[in-house]
Amino acid sequence: MKISNMNWMQVEGRICNDDRAVVPLGSTEQHAYLSLSVDSILSERVAVDAAEPLGVPVFSGGGLWVDALLWPIGTITLRMATYVALVRDILDSLARTGFRRILIVNGHGGNSPVEGLTVEWMADNPIVRIKFYDWWRGPQTWAAVQAIDPVASHASWMENFPWTRLAGAEQPDVQKPMSNRAGRPRLVGQELRAALDDGNFGGYYQRSDDEMLSIWQVAVAETRALIEEGWD
């Protein structure tokens, strides 16, 4: 359940019987015609939907993507050192509180440095176990995406759920070509913005709600299994 729906005494009471916690990480960045908060919306929602039946509290995190500044209106990012320090402080706080099993549900590829941090942090805090999980890359979830359409990417249909759409923002009914830059340097700066245009990396902009909800059910079940199992 969302930590905003609990008071500190309720959290303290839960820790006596269950030392698990979930921390979703997202970002605030361009997602073509979708909300700027897609990664935060999806990571938090999949975390809450998965944890709710278990009564496991869901905290909150942030996001990191320097290239988001190329779409400056409405985007927010942190320096890598700042973000890693922020997550370290979150983990320190949860450990002091008494949580010993922490699932980090990540919704944004740019947050990957945190995974390395968790390994280092656990070496200093051996009584705490942490899982770092890119929810959209879960084997079953990704298979469900690929079964519907293998051309799926950032800000394309695979992130277009009813809760990430914006009223009045009409989306193109086309399949944007994927950029093939195999063997070439990574684009940065204005070259990256010029190549991505609206921010969709490639693929159709939307699919049917039935297809999207079928993917979501798989994602929630796969995330819940990580909360329940594999802590030994």
Side-chain angles (χ1 to χ4, degrees):
M1 61 183 67
K2 294 177 69 172
I3 201 70
S4 59
N5 295 328
M6 303 176 71
N7 61 41
W8 72 269
M9 292 166 286
Q10 291 172 316
V11 175
E12 183 179 52
R14 280 213 54 80
I15 294 173
C16 294
N17 301 307
D18 191 341
D19 59 6
R20 294 173 295 177
V22 181
V23 180
L25 302 180
S27 70
T28 303
E29 63 170 7
Q30 52 72 27
H31 274 81
Y33 299 87
L34 303 176
S35 167
L36 281 160
S37 296
V38 162
D39 291 341
S40 298
I41 291 169
L42 294 180
S43 62
E44 180 179 73
R45 183 159 182 146
V46 75
V48 170
D49 286 0
E52 186 76 31
L54 308 176
V56 174
V58 177
F59 289 79
S60 60
L64 171 70
W65 192 46
V66 176
D67 288 330
L69 297 179
L70 298 173
W71 289 263
I73 307 303
T75 60
I76 297 174
T77 189
L78 300 172
R79 293 182 183 275
M80 186 180 299
T82 304
Y83 189 55
V84 169
L86 169 67
V87 176
R88 184 187 295 276
D89 285 350
I90 291 173
L91 295 176
D92 287 344
S93 298
L94 291 176
R96 282 196 302 270
T97 301
F99 290 105
R100 297 293 179 261
R101 293 175 291 171
I102 302 168
L103 174 64
I104 295 178
V105 179
N106 182 43
H108 172 58
N111 295 338
S112 58
V114 171
E115 185 169 14
L117 163 69
T118 63
V119 176
E120 178 184 280
W121 189 90
M122 281 192 292
D124 295 333
N125 300 270
I127 64 173
V128 181
R129 310 308 300 163
I130 299 174
K131 298 178 185 178
F132 182 90
Y133 176 57
D134 294 327
W135 75 266
W136 76 99
R137 286 183 177 142
Q140 296 172 35
T141 303
W142 185 243
V145 170
Q146 294 289 287
I148 291 173
D149 182 1
V151 184
S153 69
H154 169 85
S156 75
W157 68 271
M158 68 173 288
E159 295 189 295
N160 188 338
F161 292 89
W163 42 88
T164 58
R165 296 179 202 139
L166 301 174
E170 294 188 15
Q171 303 180 53
D173 187 18
V174 297
Q175 185 183 55
K176 186 176 181 179
M178 294 284 287
S179 176
N180 182 5
R181 294 193 53 81
R184 300 180 183 181
R186 181 184 175 191
L187 292 176
V188 297
Q190 291 301 322
E191 287 183 333
L192 177 63
R193 177 169 179 174
L196 296 181
D197 189 23
D198 60 13
N200 178 345
F201 284 17
Y204 285 104
Y205 285 80
Q206 57 185 331
R207 301 284 303 197
S208 73
D209 280 355
D210 287 345
E211 291 173 316
M212 299 310 297
L213 294 177
S214 70
I215 292 173
W216 192 253
Q217 291 171 355
V218 174
V220 170
E222 196 167 23
T223 305
R224 185 175 298 144
L226 285 174
I227 300 173
E228 293 182 296
E229 305 163 2
W231 291 106
D232 296 334

